[in-house]
Amino acid sequence: MAIQNGTVRKRNPEPLLKVEPSSAGVGNSESPGSPTAGIQHPAGEVKYSGFSQVVRAILLATWFNCAVVAIHATQFIGAPLYWINRDYYYAYMALTKQSFAIVGIAGTRWFAQTKVRVSWDKGLRGQFHKTPAGRMETTFPERLIYLSNHQIYTEWLYLWWIAYTSRMHGHIYILLKESLRYVPFLGPGMMFYGFIFMARKWLSDKPRLEHRLNKLKSRHKGPLSGSAGLDPMWLLIFPEGTNLSANTRKGSVKWAEKQGIPDMRHLLLPRSTGLFFCLQQLEDTIEWVYDCTIAYEGTPKGGFAPEIFTIRSAYLQGRPPKSVNMYWRRFAVSSIPLTNAKEFDNWLIQRWREKDDILEQWYTTGRFPSDPESADSMRGISKDGFIETEMTLNNWMEIGQLYVVLAAFALVINVVLKIWALFSKFM
């Protein structure tokens, strides 16, 4: 098994699921015939009544929609900076991007609180720290590409939070499905953020992707421009293209048969074209590719997390995963074959087979590999090389960032109107 720099725990694993017929009122959402059907929900019974769920839905929607509208309005207020001063425009949009991260982190903390367990291989030793207050901090580079397997729809929230722990949450860029461009408020907001929309048609995707990547290689001198002149950039890519489910599993099996290679056990086969192009375009401006393997406690072996941890179950019923588990590795860009597409495809498949083995260990033992030699009580790292924390804000006063520009704008408008009214009296 090719688990790099990992330590296999040899204790008896804790049961991930109690296999029992579902009791009335538990409200399983699994589809018939699924490996998860007929299995008691791993987070237990529904914690909130139907009325409470309606209240929670209203509160969550109010929080999210009001915040998104405020952020989008803030973006429009700052849009003229694009023609006035590009340096300040990109810094301004980075601040609005920070605001959206704050919305996601706060909402998840309030409505779907869960434990996060993080480990890493020895190549990342020293880059993780737990503060005395229990929050995780990371010291990842200012510019990188980071990859992840894709299991549930809200995965990007946890990965955006990782950027927050490095104070890079205003500099994240994500490759997204083209259809998301047309979601009201969110779509235009993500366009302001410089997110990259992909139609999965390479002839049309390539020029669009090249245009966006050229912008990510540009240099600015304004605030938040980075220590090396190049803007900080965390480019998040899901090489699988979509989340793991019963339907996408079938597609992966067909693709494996077409390519004449074995399919994965716990993953979808990755597609290499987009990532290969991104690395070719950015290889002179980044040193590392970071890789996250993510899993959710309670997902049975062979099961599909989206069928268990839906937005309803996690945010409304009070049944999020008991823990979100992450294992981090990194690879030097200089070690990745970027001159030949076939060699790169083989490289990526090999990395994904390693991830598959890592997930096999997780399903068997309930733990990812770790680096016990990095244990440090002063840095909050346990003796077995893990950090256990929760997804939360460093300071709840950060929520004020969402509305400060609107408040200042309203104040200015109010002053202008009063001056105009006063001036009109003398005309």
Side-chain angles (χ1 to χ4, degrees), residues 103-286:
V103 172
I105 293 169
T108 301
R109 172 69 173 180
W110 291 332
F111 292 92
Q113 183 176 350
T114 187
K115 177 169 60 180
V116 182
R117 185 182 296 116
V118 183
S119 62
W120 51 90
D121 72 7
K122 66 180 182 180
L124 289 171
R125 190 177 298 168
Q127 295 191 22
F128 295 84
H129 170 63
K130 188 176 180 181
T131 70
R135 296 184 294 270
M136 188 175 76
E137 294 179 348
T138 57
T139 54
F140 290 4
E142 289 182 346
R143 291 181 61 86
L144 56 84
I145 290 177
Y146 66 130
L147 318 175
S148 176
N149 57 312
H150 198 7
Q151 295 207 37
I152 62 175
Y153 300 106
T154 54
E155 214 130 48
W156 54 271
L157 283 172
Y158 296 103
L159 295 167
W160 205 331
W161 167 73
I162 289 293
Y164 175 84
T165 65
S166 274
R167 309 310 296 170
M168 288 291 114
H169 54 304
H171 303 288
I172 186 172
Y173 298 85
I174 308 176
L175 266 65
L176 301 166
K177 296 178 182 178
E178 173 72 17
S179 58
L180 295 175
R181 180 198 294 267
Y182 306 105
V183 177
F185 293 105
L186 287 177
M190 291 186 289
M191 292 172 67
F192 274 118
Y193 289 158
F195 288 0
I196 304 170
F197 297 93
M198 305 288 284
R200 297 182 181 177
K201 297 178 181 178
W202 188 238
L203 287 179
S204 59
D205 285 339
K206 182 179 178 180
R208 181 187 306 170
L209 183 57
E210 185 173 19
H211 172 73
R212 296 306 313 172
L213 294 176
N214 282 334
K215 286 185 174 293
L216 296 182
K217 292 188 291 185
S218 60
R219 297 175 181 270
H220 301 100
K221 298 179 181 179
L224 305 180
S225 60
S227 59
L230 284 169
D231 285 352
M233 177 213 70
W234 283 29
L235 180 60
L236 172 58
I237 301 176
F238 295 104
E240 292 164 305
T242 187
N243 63 304
L244 178 66
S245 67
N247 286 334
T248 57
R249 160 59 64 206
K250 294 176 183 177
S252 183
V253 170
K254 291 181 180 178
W255 179 252
E257 292 174 350
K258 182 178 179 180
Q259 298 298 310
I261 59 176
D263 193 25
M264 305 289 174
R265 293 163 292 177
H266 311 297
L267 300 163
L268 302 177
L269 281 171
R271 304 300 178 95
S272 63
T273 303
L275 177 59
F276 181 58
F277 186 76
C278 289
L279 282 167
Q280 283 186 320
Q281 294 294 307
L282 298 173
E283 65 172 320
D284 294 331
T285 68
I286 61 173

Side-chain angles (χ1 to χ4, degrees), residues 408-419:
F409 185 73
L411 180 62
V412 170
I413 294 297
N414 184 52
V415 170
V416 169
L417 290 176
K418 287 183 176 180
I419 293 174

Side-chain angles (χ1 to χ4, degrees), residues 4 19 25 32-33 36 109 129 142-144 159 212 223 242 248 287 297 300 314 326 331 342 377 384 386 410:
Q4 294 182 341
V19 182
T36 55
R109 172 69 173 180
H129 170 63
E142 289 182 346
R143 291 181 61 86
L144 56 84
L159 295 167
R212 296 306 313 172
T242 187
T248 57
E287 293 185 40
E297 182 176 347
M326 294 181 175
F331 306 97
K342 182 61 177 177
S377 59
D384 49 2
F386 288 87

